[in-house]
Amino acid sequence: MGMTKFGTFGQYPKESLPSAEAALLTVWPSLARYHDDLVLVGGLAVHYLTRHDLSDLPGAVTMGVDLGIMLAASGGLYGTIRSELAGLDFRRDTTDENRLVRKYGSLNLYLDFITEHPPAVTGSWMADDVVASVVPGVDRALACRRWVKVQGRDVFGAEQNCEVAVADIGPLLVLKLNAFGGPIGRRLPKDAYDMLLAVRGFVDGPETAVAAFRAEAKADNPGYESARATLRKDFSARDQDGPIRAAEFLMGHVDDRERIREDVVTVAKFLLGE
C-alpha cells in the first residue's frame, strides 16, 4: 500500500476523499469481471465501515484506492487489468511502480493493488499485468467481505450506483496494523489513526469490531499474530509510537491530544483482550 500519505489530517485537501471515491466509482464498474477476485481495503474501506457522525473524530481521509487482489486472477485468465485501466487514463506511476496514477483536476488519484503470497516472498508480485505489493492477510480479506452501496459521480462526471466489496472489519484491522508496524512497517500517523477510527466508529459498534478482530485468530489469518505483536509493541502504552502518531495526525483538529493517546491505548487493550 504505497500511495501518498500526509502527516496530519489537515494536510489532506478537502476534495481528496470525494475524489478518491470518484476514482473508485470509475474503476469498479470497469473491473466487473474481476469482482470475485477484488476487495477494497485502505482508507476508503475505513470510510465505508465507519459512522460519519462522531463528534470527537473527524472521519477518514485518503488520496486514492487500495484494492486487494487474488493471485488466481493472474495468468491472463481475464485479459489484462492494467490495459483496461489505461483506457480510463490510469498509468504506471513514474515514482512508484507498485501503483497507478491519474490526474483529476489539481489532484493525483492513486490506485494501489496488494496481494497475498507465501512468506518467503516479500516486496511485490505480478498479478495479471499489475504489480501488487505482497501483504499477509489479503486472502482473508477477500474471503470475508461485505457489500456496500456507493453512489456518486465518477471522474467523467457520470452518476454511478455500485455495490463494492469491502474488507470486513476483522481482516481490515489486521491489514491496518500490519501497515503500521508489521511486515510493511511504514509507521505512518494515518495508519495509527485509522485503527482508532475503525474500532471507535465501526457501523456495527466497537464491541463488534473488537470481537471480529479476535476472531481472526481462529480464522487462521496469516497476518493476525504480527498484528497482535504490533498492538503490544506500538499501541499498548501512551508513550509508544501508535498513540503518539495517531494524536499527532489530528493536530489542529482535536485539542486534547492526550485523550486521543489514551483512547488508542484503550482500544489496543480491548483488541488484545486485556
Side-chain angles (χ1 to χ4, degrees):
M1 291 181 281
M3 60 183 54
T4 298
K5 301 286 190 295
F6 292 108
T8 66
F9 184 94
Q11 289 176 296
Y12 281 81
K14 289 183 179 180
E15 64 270 25
S16 60
L17 185 69
S19 297
E21 187 169 77
L24 175 66
L25 289 169
T26 302
V27 302
W28 190 258
S30 295
L31 298 177
R33 70 179 73 181
Y34 300 93
H35 283 180
D36 288 346
D37 299 325
L38 292 172
V39 62
L40 183 69
V41 296
L44 270 184
V46 174
H47 174 66
Y48 294 135
L49 293 187
T50 52
R51 294 164 39 215
H52 305 150
D53 60 349
L54 299 174
S55 59
D56 59 337
L57 296 177
V61 286
T62 187
M63 288 293 293
V65 181
D66 285 305
L67 291 172
I69 184 170
M70 185 79 72
L71 258 184
S74 64
L77 296 177
Y78 306 105
T80 56
I81 292 177
R82 187 159 62 103
S83 62
E84 293 181 17
L85 294 176
L88 302 172
D89 208 24
F90 281 89
R91 310 289 177 180
R92 184 71 58 84
D93 187 0
T94 57
T95 63
D96 185 347
E97 69 170 6
N98 284 13
R99 64 185 180 184
L100 303 177
V101 64
R102 185 194 196 281
K103 289 293 292 185
Y104 181 57
S106 61
L107 294 180
N108 283 333
L109 297 181
Y110 298 102
L111 181 58
D112 206 39
F113 289 88
I114 62 174
T115 195
E116 183 117 22
H117 204 260
V121 175
T122 58
S124 59
W125 188 263
M126 288 297 292
D128 211 332
D129 63 347
V130 171
V131 177
S133 300
V134 175
V135 182
V138 174
D139 281 356
R140 176 63 186 152
L142 283 155
C144 187
R145 311 183 297 174
R146 61 168 64 191
W147 292 87
V148 175
K149 291 183 178 179
V150 182
Q151 292 179 280
R153 295 191 182 277
D154 63 20
V155 298
F156 304 110
E159 190 71 27
Q160 300 289 346
N161 188 346
C162 300
E163 284 203 351
V164 177
V166 179
D168 217 338
I169 191 65
L172 182 62
L173 284 168
V174 169
L175 290 172
K176 272 292 170 186
L177 285 164
N178 282 327
F180 183 85
I184 302 174
R186 56 193 183 189
R187 315 191 77 76
L188 297 181
K190 179 184 179 299
D191 291 323
Y193 172 65
D194 276 350
M195 187 280 285
L196 173 66
L197 177 62
V199 175
R200 281 272 317 277
F202 183 49
V203 289
D204 296 334
E207 298 85 358
T208 304
V210 169
F213 173 78
R214 292 188 200 167
E216 290 304 294
K218 293 181 180 178
D220 293 325
N221 187 324
Y224 178 72
E225 285 305 323
S226 57
R228 281 184 61 86
T230 295
L231 284 169
R232 292 192 195 96
K233 178 177 179 291
D234 296 320
F235 287 89
S236 60
R238 58 180 303 280
D239 59 348
Q240 291 177 339
D241 270 358
I244 290 173
R245 297 188 190 207
E248 287 304 305
F249 186 73
L250 295 178
M251 183 174 57
H253 279 260
V254 174
D255 293 331
D256 190 355
R257 281 182 277 171
E258 292 299 315
R259 179 185 58 78
I260 293 296
R261 288 165 70 172
E262 293 295 341
D263 284 354
V264 171
V265 172
T266 299
V267 165
K269 288 184 176 179
F270 274 117
L271 291 173
L272 287 167
E274 298 173 354

